[in-house]
């Protein structure tokens, strides 16, 4: 017997669910939220509290049930009432032209075909069944005829509505791609690494693995998203004339459709779209492996029909793959600035991610052992965006009998000094320090880098010659300041004009050195820009820092005992002191007041994140000015961020700030803040 309190609770529960679903739609489908995350969370909490008080009111499609219900014991088979097809692939422009020609020939009298062009998402295909607007089943594609029931996991995905908006038909089966956001995938792998759990090779494998888990609680905290791209079985819906119109209707029912969908005309239009999306590919927050062109008119689709498992009316135009197989011909060790030895696989050249790759990093010996890479192995190489190609895994089945294990050399391959590996460290190092030409070159490259002393035009090839000349023209960064234009002009591929320009650039670097930049430029182990700024702000001068004890260095905010020990040790070493003494004869450090540490700076305790580009200054300058007022600059947005400074073309950091409710400053407001400081 329902009391009146229970009745009003039921009404409130209905109201809350309606509101939450509305906000889900604004957020996921329209990408235009009306309320803050905090407000949304309040609604969800209120609903949760009511459902706890009145358990009878709980339904499977309540938004509170997204956290993952009880595990299933095995995945049930689902027979697709309409087969889930796959697509033929096109790799070259000619393949697309030929496809369009075939389509036109079959349709006879049609001169130009209208296509719906969409990104091809790299996730897994799912069929979603809605009855009277409620999600009743979600299934994987399987072999196209039979898939597996994964409803328990799909219900945890917030971008998949459990209840549709408006007046959806009695039966609506829609198809779409469930995928993982790259940022979330990386964070998830990072957490797994920290806990010593297994990591996933790429977002697609992570998505496929998670969706087929038995326990939905595992899927619930994974960063899934979805785009719906097609219609399966329906009842009670008179389909519109075009695929794009059908998707528009799906969108109105609350199903998320790619915002990059576009109607294009003929093969020309398709190829132009391919280039447009190709240019955007690297900046998308999810992975796509191509684009799909679909004949837009349903009558034409019907007339074209199918061959085997793929429709004649659609084709996938693939981008160059991110991953390829190749053979490891050898492993060499590269020596970095701090002496770290990085194993690098020499590969049978392979075309991947749009370029030919013949080397891939293996990071360190622990990685070599963990992946068990041996010389002669066939491996999967991955190159995504602009990142360094890496060896993802070994295809063990293809290992030849004579495959050789990789050994860490006992002597530095560059200078012959002993190689050491500290207890508990993954990294092995050459002990040669600046005796080692490789370390010297890297030290100079780092010193001249854009974020350090910013010497324009001092590239790798020139540094190599300066260090390798006999006798060496440059042994330490200080030697740069006595180079003459004549000496430089004598180098390979150096004209008189560029020699003069370089001398000027070196000269210019004398003036814009702030203490933090200078400290960063020295290349002290573990001292990145943020630590250099903190050290500079705390000690105010090089002299004070050089005279500090290890304990005093540890007092600097965010400097722990390990970093403090490296900094202290660095300044104790005679050759470092000599280099610094020589450098300071040339470089005038701009004076720096003690600020952040004493809490005196007006921006003390404030953390900034910079995104996009500012008109009035470079990002580095903005960072310097924040640091000069005692503030800190961080690389990523979190709840602890005080301000996000958003310039033109601000990216995902701005979105993140809005998501977390962090205050965003445009350039004008930022300048005002600096001035008032
Ligand atoms: S349409 C009959 N559209 O690609 C048409 N598929 O190789 C079938 N995919 O299994 C699919 N994005 O997992 C279509 N915008 C898109 C897609 C897409 C990704 C995947 C889907 C399918 C595979 C076909």
């Amino acid at each position: 017997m329902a009391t009146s309190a229970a009745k009003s609770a039921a009404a409130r529960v209905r109201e809350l669910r309606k509101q939450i679903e509305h906000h889900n739609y604004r957020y996921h489908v329209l990408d235009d939220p009306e309320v803050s995350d905090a407000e949304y969370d309040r609604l969800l909490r209120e609903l949760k509290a009511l459902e706890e008080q009145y358990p009878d009111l709980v339904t499977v499609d309540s938004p509170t049930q997204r956290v993952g219900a009880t595990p299933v014991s095995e995945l049930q088979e689902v027979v697709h009432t309409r087969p889930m097809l796959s697509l033929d692939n096109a790799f070259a422009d000619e393949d697309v032209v030929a496809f369009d020609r075939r389509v036109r020939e079959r349709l006879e009298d049609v001169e130009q075909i209208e296509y719906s062009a969409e990104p091809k998402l790299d996730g897994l295909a799912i069929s979603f069944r809605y009855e009277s607007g409620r999600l009743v089943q979600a299934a994987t594609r399987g072999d196209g005829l039979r898939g597996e029931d994964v409803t328990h996991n799909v219900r945890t995905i917030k971008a998949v509505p459990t209840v549709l908006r408006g007046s959806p038909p009695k039966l609506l089966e829609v198809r779409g791609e469930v995928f993982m956001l790259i940022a979330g995938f990386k964070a998830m792998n990072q957490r797994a690494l920290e806990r010593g759990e297994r990591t996933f090779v790429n977002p697609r494998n992570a998505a496929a693995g998670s969706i087929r888990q038995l326990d939905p609680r595992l899927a619930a905290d994974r960063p899934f998203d979805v785009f719906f791209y097609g219609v399966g079985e329906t009842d009670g819906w008179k389909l519109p004339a075009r695929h794009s119109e059908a998707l528009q209707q799906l969108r109105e029912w609350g199903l998320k459709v790619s915002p990059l969908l576009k109607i294009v005309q003929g093969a020309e239009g398709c190829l132009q779209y391919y280039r447009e999306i190709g240019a955007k590919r690297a900046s998308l927050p999810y992975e796509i492996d191509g684009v799909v062109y679909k004949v837009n008119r349903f009558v034409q689709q019907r007339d074209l029909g199918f061959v085997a498992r793929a429709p004649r009316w659609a084709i996938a135009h693939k981008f160059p793959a991110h991953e390829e197989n190749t053979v490891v011909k050898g492993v060499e060790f590269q020596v970095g600035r701090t002496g770290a030895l990085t194993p690098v696989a020499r590969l049978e050249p392979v075309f991947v991610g749009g370029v030919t790759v013949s080397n891939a990093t293996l990071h360190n010996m622990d990685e070599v052992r963990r992946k068990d890479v041996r010389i002669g192995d066939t491996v999967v190489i991955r190159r995504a965006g602009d990142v360094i190609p890496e060896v993802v895994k070994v295809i063990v089945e293809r290992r030849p009998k004579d495959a050789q294990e990789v050994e860490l050399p006992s002597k530095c391959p560059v200078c012959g000094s002993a190689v050491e590996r500290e207890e508990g460290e993954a990294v092995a190092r050459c002990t040669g320090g600046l005796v080692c030409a490789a370390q010297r070159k890297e030290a100079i490259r780092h010193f001249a880098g854009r974020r350090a002393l910013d010497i324009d035009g001092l590239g790798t090839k020139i540094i190599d010659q300066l260090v390798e000349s006999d006798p060496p023209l440059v042994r330490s960064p200080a030697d740069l300041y006595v180079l003459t234009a004549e000496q430089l002009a004598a180098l390979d591929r150096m004209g008189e004009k560029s020699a003069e320009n370089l001398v000027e650039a070196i000269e210019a670097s004398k003036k814009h050195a702030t203490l933090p930049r200078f400290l960063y430029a020295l290349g002290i182990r573990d001292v990145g820009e943020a630590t250099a700024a903190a050290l500079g702000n705390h000690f105010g001068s090089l002299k004070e820092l050089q005279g500090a004890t290890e304990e005093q260095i540890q007092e600097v905010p965010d400097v722990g005992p390990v970093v403090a020990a490296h900094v202290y040790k660095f300044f104790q070493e005679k050759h470092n002191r000599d280099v610094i003494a020589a450098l300071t004869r040339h470089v005038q450090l701009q004076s720096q007041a003690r600020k952040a540490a004493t809490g005196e700076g007006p921006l003390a305790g404030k953390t900034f994140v910079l995104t996009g580009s500012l008109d009035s200054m470079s990002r580095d300058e903005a960072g310097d000015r924040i640091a000069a007022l005692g503030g800190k600059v961080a690389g990523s947005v979190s709840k602890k961020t005080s301000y996000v400074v958003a310039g033109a073309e601000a990216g995902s950091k701005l979105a993140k700030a809005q998501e977390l409710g962090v205050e965003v400053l445009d350039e004008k407001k930022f300048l005002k803040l600096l001035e008032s400081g």
Side-chain angles (χ1 to χ4, degrees):
M1 184 88 303
T3 63
S4 76
K7 262 193 214 153
S8 65
R12 180 67 187 151
V13 161
R14 270 197 303 278
E15 174 58 26
L16 283 167
R17 284 184 192 153
K18 220 168 110 194
Q19 283 188 25
I20 292 169
E21 272 144 22
H22 171 73
H23 293 313
N24 277 343
Y25 172 70
R26 299 287 313 196
Y27 183 90
H28 291 290
V29 180
L30 302 186
D31 203 8
D32 183 19
E34 281 174 350
V35 292
S36 67
D37 284 9
E39 176 68 29
Y40 178 88
D41 289 342
R42 254 195 305 283
L43 296 172
L44 203 59
R45 273 202 304 276
E46 187 186 341
L47 176 60
K48 217 170 173 173
L50 278 173
E51 288 182 352
E52 267 163 28
Q53 202 180 344
Y54 300 99
D56 286 355
L57 297 181
V58 178
T59 58
V60 283
D61 44 28
S62 171
T64 57
Q65 300 307 300
R66 299 263 195 208
V67 287
T70 30
V72 298
S73 54
E74 61 176 345
L75 299 180
Q76 299 294 324
E77 186 182 279
V78 171
V79 177
H80 298 300
T81 47
R82 295 191 177 186
M84 288 181 79
L85 301 166
S86 65
L87 292 169
D88 281 338
N89 290 324
F91 295 97
D93 287 6
E94 300 81 78
D95 302 340
V96 177
V97 172
F99 161 74
D100 176 63
R101 189 183 321 115
R102 284 196 303 274
V103 166
R104 279 183 292 116
E105 278 168 8
R106 278 210 165 245
L107 294 176
E108 290 170 357
D109 293 327
V110 188
E111 267 187 26
Q112 176 153 280
I113 306 289
E114 178 181 296
Y115 293 101
S116 168
E118 309 162 13
K120 185 171 187 299
L121 300 141
D122 205 4
L124 73 158
I126 298 284
S127 146
F128 308 78
R129 209 176 162 85
Y130 287 90
E131 288 176 8
S132 307
R134 290 181 183 275
L135 178 66
V136 294
Q137 189 177 67
T140 61
R141 173 167 177 267
D143 64 2
L145 301 174
R146 284 156 221 272
E148 286 169 325
D149 188 329
V150 289
T151 318
H152 58 299
N153 288 327
V154 169
R155 273 193 204 287
T156 68
I157 304 173
K158 295 196 188 67
V160 175
T162 48
V163 181
L164 297 180
R165 304 163 54 81
S167 8
K170 211 156 79 194
L171 170 65
L172 175 66
E173 189 222 328
V174 282
R175 277 116 190 237
E177 196 87 348
V178 164
F179 55 92
M180 231 177 231
L181 295 166
I182 298 168
F185 161 75
K186 285 191 182 149
M188 177 182 121
N189 258 358
Q190 186 57 38
R191 281 198 302 274
L193 261 185
E194 280 158 17
R195 293 195 214 118
E197 292 167 5
R198 90 185 193 100
T199 54
F200 289 100
V201 162
N202 56 39
R204 189 197 45 228
N205 288 7
S210 312
I211 282 293
R212 297 188 61 258
Q213 296 274 0
L214 300 177
D215 185 348
R217 281 166 300 197
L218 293 172
D221 56 21
R222 295 192 174 168
F224 283 115
D225 208 335
V226 67
F227 282 127
F228 296 89
Y229 55 63
V231 178
E233 194 187 3
T234 61
D235 185 5
W237 181 21
K238 188 173 173 304
L239 276 169
R242 291 175 169 84
H243 169 75
S244 55
E245 290 162 352
L247 293 192
Q248 182 50 39
Q249 176 63 66
L250 294 187
R251 198 179 266 158
E252 280 157 29
W253 284 328
L255 298 160
K256 197 173 167 181
V257 174
S258 170
L260 299 174
L261 181 139
K262 195 166 164 184
I263 295 165
V264 300
Q265 306 297 330
E268 262 315 288
C270 291
L271 295 176
Q272 195 185 335
Y273 180 79
Y274 180 79
R275 286 183 245 298
E276 271 169 41
I277 300 296
K280 286 201 180 120
R281 184 186 188 191
S283 59
L284 293 175
Y286 44 81
E287 294 201 335
I288 59 176
D289 58 350
V291 296
V292 184
Y293 314 124
K294 301 172 186 171
V295 171
N296 203 20
R297 284 168 209 268
F298 284 132
V299 275
Q300 293 178 339
Q301 288 191 3
R302 195 200 54 207
D303 290 348
L304 288 160
F306 307 88
V307 251
R309 289 286 174 81
R312 285 202 193 89
W313 44 263
I315 197 161
H317 191 183
K318 302 290 277 278
F319 289 131
H322 280 318
E323 290 183 3
E324 282 299 342
N325 296 350
T326 189
V327 173
V328 177
K329 294 196 300 188
V331 171
E332 284 170 19
F333 286 82
Q334 268 174 9
V335 186
R337 173 167 60 81
T338 57
L341 260 59
T342 304
V344 176
R346 301 281 174 234
L347 307 167
E348 196 64 62
V350 58
F351 192 70
V352 43
V355 300
T356 301
V357 168
S358 42
N359 301 312
T361 181
L362 287 162
H363 302 290
N364 57 51
M365 283 308 286
D366 280 357
E367 281 285 295
V368 173
R369 295 284 175 255
R370 197 172 63 77
K371 291 178 180 160
D372 190 19
V373 178
R374 302 187 193 177
I375 298 161
D377 269 341
T378 297
V379 292
V380 179
I381 297 298
R382 180 174 174 80
R383 178 184 174 275
D386 294 329
V387 302
I388 303 168
E390 67 172 344
V391 173
V392 177
K393 66 168 186 189
V394 173
I395 304 174
V396 184
E397 298 76 30
R398 296 214 214 148
R399 171 168 290 163
K401 283 212 178 66
D402 59 353
Q404 262 174 37
E405 286 209 33
V406 178
E407 298 294 347
L408 177 69
S410 58
K411 292 206 160 61
C412 171
V414 176
C415 71
S417 302
V419 167
E420 247 179 24
R421 187 167 168 181
E422 278 169 40
E423 249 325 278
E425 270 225 35
V427 178
R429 287 173 206 279
C430 157
T431 53
L434 292 181
V435 167
C436 177
Q439 291 186 52
R440 249 184 355 244
K441 285 179 192 169
E442 289 303 319
I444 290 161
R445 191 178 317 178
H446 177 78
F447 183 86
R450 204 172 57 78
R451 327 202 67 143
L453 285 221
D454 193 15
I455 303 178
D456 207 23
L458 189 60
T460 312
K461 297 229 165 73
I462 300 171
I463 295 174
D464 286 354
Q465 294 182 63
L466 290 172
V467 172
E468 283 165 16
S469 58
D470 187 20
L473 283 169
V474 171
R475 286 196 176 80
S476 84
D479 295 338
L480 294 171
Y481 292 97
V482 293
L483 287 172
T484 63
E486 292 74 53
Q487 286 173 321
L488 287 171
L491 301 179
D492 259 8
R493 278 190 259 179
M494 244 318 202
E496 255 170 52
K497 186 71 198 144
S498 27
E500 274 164 33
N501 288 345
L502 184 50
V503 170
E504 256 169 54
I506 294 172
E507 192 61 27
S509 76
K510 289 181 178 177
K511 293 186 195 87
H512 54 225
T514 57
L515 180 56
R517 269 177 184 263
F518 184 81
L519 291 175
Y520 172 68
L522 291 177
I524 307 167
R525 206 168 130 193
D526 288 339
V527 177
E529 275 176 290
T531 308
L535 289 168
N537 284 329
H538 185 90
F539 289 101
S541 80
L542 191 58
K543 213 170 137 217
E544 292 221 18
L545 173 57
Q546 278 184 298
T549 64
E550 214 170 310
E551 289 71 36
Q552 285 167 331
I553 298 172
Q554 262 194 64
E555 280 166 25
V556 178
D558 296 332
V559 171
V562 176
V563 177
H566 287 154
V567 174
Y568 180 74
K569 206 172 132 207
F570 181 90
F571 287 112
Q572 291 313 299
E573 275 172 32
K574 171 143 185 345
H575 68 257
N576 290 334
R577 283 183 169 268
D578 291 346
V579 169
I580 292 168
L583 272 175
T584 47
R585 278 197 289 279
H586 300 287
V587 179
Q588 284 100 49
L589 291 182
Q590 284 168 22
S591 69
Q592 174 103 19
R594 287 175 74 125
K595 276 170 186 145
T598 49
E600 276 168 27
L603 299 183
K606 297 269 188 272
T607 306
F608 289 73
V609 171
L610 305 171
T611 175
S613 49
L614 300 174
D615 285 335
S616 56
M617 64 183 96
S618 72
R619 222 192 260 209
D620 292 352
E621 277 171 70
D624 287 346
R625 290 192 60 180
I626 292 168
L629 294 171
K632 252 185 20 184
V633 178
S636 60
V637 183
S638 75
K639 282 191 185 138
K640 291 191 194 139
T641 310
S642 321
Y643 302 102
V644 167
V645 179
E649 278 160 45
S652 59
K653 289 179 188 170
L654 175 58
K656 181 85 193 188
Q658 285 159 344
E659 196 185 312
L660 294 176
V662 172
E663 188 170 342
V664 176
L665 302 176
D666 61 14
E667 180 154 5
K668 226 165 106 192
K669 286 193 197 141
F670 174 57
L671 290 175
K672 234 173 158 172
L673 184 77
L674 289 179
E675 276 156 29
S676 65

